[in-house]
Amino acid sequence: MTRPTPAELEAARDRPVPDLVASGLSVLFCGINPGLMTAVTGHHFARPGNRFWPVLHLSGFTPRRLLPAEQEELLSYGLGITNVVARPSARADELSAEEYLEGGRLLAEKVARLRPRWLAVVGVTAYRAAFQEPKARIGPQERRIGGARVWVLPNPSGLNAHWTKETMAEEFARLRAAARAPGAPGR
């Protein structure tokens, strides 16, 4: 794909990005909100430099590194993608506290309807804001949302300098092991 023009990126602010979901997924990954590149392409985590797709592969969730345009393949692995807030933006700091809270409410309803085993929120700050859990940390949470176990993962954005691709993959792999463990919810 050629690089979008500034006008295309601005127009993307009004373009909804469909969820990639099905009932009974093993893990439903939940981004903060669609970036403008995602809104332009219609593919989740589409911005070059976002580490979601490489980390998903490095952690063993997928047998090869998928491209954003191949996102539909995730469903065959029992994986899906949604967002806390549906509105596309250039940066997550453009979102209001009210949008996070409403997004958390809508996400809980979606999870209750779809019944994934695990909800994996990629971004601890988004999880804290959406579910009023100010002390939440990366890793499994005590709280269940819509009946699903919850794991908070590091934000794969290239702007997150606190986590390398390798350390992110280790955390994603911990979730993968928990989701596949004997006696795991839904097993």
Side-chain angles (χ1 to χ4, degrees):
M1 176 182 174
T2 60
R3 185 178 178 95
T5 66
E8 289 171 320
L9 289 172
E10 192 56 37
R13 291 179 185 274
D14 299 322
R15 193 172 302 149
V17 178
D19 290 338
L20 179 68
V21 296
S23 293
L25 295 168
S26 177
V27 179
L28 178 58
F29 291 96
C30 181
I32 299 169
N33 75 309
L36 297 182
M37 184 66 79
T38 288
V40 166
T41 65
H43 306 301
H44 293 274
F45 300 102
R47 184 177 178 85
N50 189 296
R51 297 169 288 182
F52 179 80
W53 297 103
V55 166
L56 208 59
H57 171 62
L58 287 172
S59 64
F61 272 110
T62 59
R64 65 180 179 84
R65 181 177 169 179
L66 300 176
L67 298 172
E70 299 173 303
Q71 67 184 17
E72 295 288 329
E73 195 172 318
L74 287 180
L75 294 174
S76 69
Y77 305 126
L79 308 173
I81 304 175
T82 189
N83 288 286
V84 174
V85 176
R87 181 175 69 87
S89 68
R91 295 179 324 276
D93 65 6
E94 295 176 23
L95 304 175
S96 70
E98 293 77 20
E99 284 178 293
Y100 277 112
L101 288 173
E102 177 66 4
R105 186 187 68 74
L106 294 172
L107 178 60
E109 289 176 3
K110 185 181 305 181
V111 170
R113 187 177 67 253
L114 294 172
R115 312 282 308 155
R117 289 184 215 137
W118 287 89
L119 173 65
V121 180
V122 292
V124 69
T125 302
Y127 177 79
R128 289 172 179 160
F131 297 103
Q132 297 181 309
E133 296 278 352
K135 296 182 181 183
R137 298 193 181 285
I138 298 294
Q141 307 300 303
E142 290 296 320
R143 174 186 200 149
R144 287 181 181 255
I145 295 175
R149 297 282 319 268
V150 178
W151 199 293
V152 176
L153 293 166
N155 183 343
S157 166
L159 299 176
N160 182 358
H162 299 291
W163 290 78
T164 67
K165 199 169 19 174
E166 293 72 24
T167 57
M168 266 188 230
E170 290 171 8
E171 189 61 32
F172 275 59
R174 289 181 58 220
L175 166 60
R176 180 177 156 263
R180 294 187 175 176
R187 288 239 167 222

